[in-house]
C-alpha cells in the first residue's frame, strides 16, 4: 500500500513527513505541479534586497504552534530560525511591494 500527498506546500510537506514517519512500511509519494517545493513560501533576492513572497514569520501558539516547534527541532532546523520578538522594530515595520509601488505598513 502507498500513500499519496498532492501539493508540496508547507501542509503537503508536513503531511508527507508525518505519513512516512507514522507508516514507515508504506511508500509515501508527494506530487507537486511546479518545479519547486514550498508552495506560497518563496524568497528571492534582487540588488541585495530580500523579498519574502508570502509568510515571513510564524507565530507558534497553542497546540499547533507547539507541534510546529517540535517539527523544527526534529528536523534539526533550530539554527535556521531567527527569533523576532514582538517589541522588535522588525516585528512592527513591513514594506509591501506590488506592481512597482512600495508601501510601508
Amino acid at each position: 500500500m502507498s500513500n499519496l500527498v498532492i501539493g508540496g506546500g508547507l501542509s503537503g510537506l508536513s503531511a508527507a513527513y508525518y505519513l512516512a514517519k507514522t507508516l514507515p512500511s508504506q511508500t509515501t509519494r508527494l506530487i507537486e505541479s511546479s518545479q519547486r517545493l514550498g508552495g506560497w513560501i518563496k524568497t528571492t533576492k534582487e540588488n541585495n534586497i530580500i523579498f519574502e513572497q508570502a509568510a515571513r514569520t510564524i507565530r507558534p501558539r497553542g497546540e499547533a504552534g507547539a507541534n510546529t516547534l517540535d517539527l523544527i527541532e526534529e528536523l534539526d532546523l533550530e539554527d535556521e530560525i531567527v527569533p523576532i520578538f514582538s517589541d522588535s522594530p522588525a516585528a512592527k515595520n513591513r514594506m509591501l511591494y506590488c506592481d512597482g509601488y512600495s508601501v510601508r505598513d
Side-chain angles (χ1 to χ4, degrees):
M1 177 171 248
S2 66
N3 303 299
L4 179 64
V5 177
I6 299 174
L10 293 181
S11 296
L13 291 169
S14 296
Y17 174 80
Y18 285 116
L19 276 169
K21 181 179 170 183
T22 305
L23 305 168
S25 63
Q26 297 180 10
T27 301
T28 298
R29 298 182 193 275
L30 185 137
I31 297 175
E32 169 57 39
S33 64
S34 71
Q35 296 297 313
R36 57 175 286 283
L37 298 173
W40 289 94
I41 304 297
K42 182 178 179 184
T43 301
T44 57
K45 189 173 183 179
E46 297 175 28
N47 301 322
N48 273 348
I49 299 171
I50 296 173
F51 292 94
E52 298 291 353
Q53 297 166 314
R56 65 183 181 120
T57 60
I58 58 169
R59 294 184 180 139
R61 294 189 178 131
E63 187 177 337
N67 185 59
T68 300
L69 294 175
D70 288 344
L71 180 59
I72 289 168
E73 185 176 312
E74 194 170 322
L75 296 174
D76 198 26
L77 295 172
E78 298 97 335
D79 291 341
E80 302 296 323
I81 302 300
V82 178
I84 300 173
F85 301 99
S86 60
D87 61 348
S88 166
K92 297 178 181 175
N93 295 319
R94 292 173 178 83
M95 182 171 274
L96 305 175
Y97 184 82
C98 182
D99 295 329
Y101 297 96
S102 60
V103 178
R104 189 170 293 277
D105 179 17

